[in-house]
Amino acid sequence: MNILLAAAEINPFAKGGGMADVTSYLCIEWGDMGHDVIGVLPGYKSIDKAAYGLRKTDISFEVPMGFGKETATVYSGSFPNSDARIFLIGHDEFFDEEYVYGDRNEDEDDDRRFLFFCKAVPELCKAINFSPDIVNCHDYHTSFIMPILKAQYKNEPLFANTGTVFTIHNLSYQGVYDKYRVMDFTGLKHKEFEVGSWFEHEGKVNFMKTGIMYADRILTVSPTYAEEIKEPYYSEGMQDAINSRLRDITGVLNGVNYRVWNPSIDTYLSKKYDSNSLEIKEELKLEYLRGAGIPEKMCTLPLISFVSRLTEQKGLDILENKLSKLLNTNKFILAVLGEGQEKYEDLVIEAKNLFPENVILQLNYSDREAHKLIAASDFLLMPSKYEPCGLTQMYALKYGTIPIVRATGGLADTISNYSAEKGTGNGISFPHYNRDELEASIRRAIDLYKSKDHIEKVRLNGMAENHSSRRCAKGYLEVFKEVLDDKG
Ligand code: ADP
Ligand code: GLC
């Protein structure tokens, strides 16, 4: 199959959140399975092209944007240790900044940047003579590729049999913009943007709705999220669009690239371990706590970590009122690695100031630290308000780190409550998004930690599971085949 995957984030070239991990392993897995795969990504200035062996090609083409034309330049190369190819679409101005997304408070130019990208993708296919069987678009930044293909390239032989699949990673980021600006950039007819059209939501152009409506098939990143988004609580206003496409939505659970997230080969760790050498995990914990300046007498306490973007999604609101009360018990160490909204950064800074010996705080983004902390931790906290899938809980399982989660989206699909009687389950999970259930779950974790046997059993249960990226990549291929069969 010829597969084109388009996204605003693809590892290792550009990463904002979990989407980058997923788009990357999909390309690599499909490539390993013998498919002809190209990943296409905006050529952000921040990408160190030389480090990844990406070369500037002599491909260059004009993309009509409104009244003018913009020139695209192209870099190409391969994914590390893979036959799958990667193409970067560059532009002197649009991607000539360090960021992936515009500053969230003044992102008025992201519509132009990503529409340029969407319009350049079919032109890239022409320039390299790539005829995709499937174009797989990820999240709203890429959704306009689909109507553009349908409206402007339908007579091109290269796209005669192309099917489109839209993956929703997170419904809460939708790409909402002024319709006059967008319609001028797209080159689609003005009348197509009327109220009630597939582009329009509450008087604005909505990129997410566009993707939902124009794709041949829609994927969500977990089966539970596919169910949840039919309801207003989770749908972020998209429930009508979602419910109009129910027959075409499938949840395929994300997976883990075990070549990257695996404690037995993890190059970030000073010592490797697996389920037969859990004593090394203990040593890594000690190394981490000592490195962070935690007093020796405190190092026997359980280490609970929070490795995440600090946003409303991740459950910080229900943690807020309970944090001081819980830390005051002096029964655990909390390590936070994350960055995000100011109010949540302030919350953890305050906790650090009040309980300097119980809190380790790293307000930044670091792959290395994420690996080291997940390996060192006893528990990983993810009390998410909603979680389309979540990857870190699956990374934690592989590292023998016990997830404490709110059962929503992919967290509900991957984490089951440990039963001391039966010895089953891989974590601690609570059903409702509220403070008391969160507090009870953290207390349960602290209690569980007192029993070495139980802790080891939960760890081993999780480590024995297989959430491989290959399984996820195969799930996508099944849907791709159905799309192609439908096309006849
Ligand atoms: P989301 O995509 O909603 O942020 P996921 O659990 O799917 O949530 O993926 C988060 C990804 O980002 C994981 O790879 C995780 O390790 C990484 N991550 C989150 N915060 C940080 C951080 N501060 N430093 C390094 N990696 C982080
Ligand atoms: C989004 C979601 C997260 C998911 C990730 C990768 O960022 O918030 O739950 O795991 O995408 O699909």
Side-chain angles (χ1 to χ4, degrees), residues 15 17-18 21 308-309 314 337-338 364-366 370 390-392 395:
K15 175 161 176 170
D21 299 23
S308 178
R309 295 181 291 117
K314 301 296 178 180
L337 170 64
N364 63 341
Y365 192 96
S366 158
L391 295 171
T392 20
Y395 300 157

Side-chain angles (χ1 to χ4, degrees), residues 350-378:
E350 192 191 329
K352 171 75 188 163
N353 289 340
L354 287 173
F355 303 95
E357 293 192 341
N358 290 79
V359 178
I360 302 167
L361 187 54
Q362 289 174 283
L363 284 179
N364 63 341
Y365 192 96
S366 158
D367 251 340
R368 168 183 298 275
E369 292 305 315
H371 282 250
K372 286 170 66 175
L373 179 53
I374 290 173
S377 301
D378 296 302

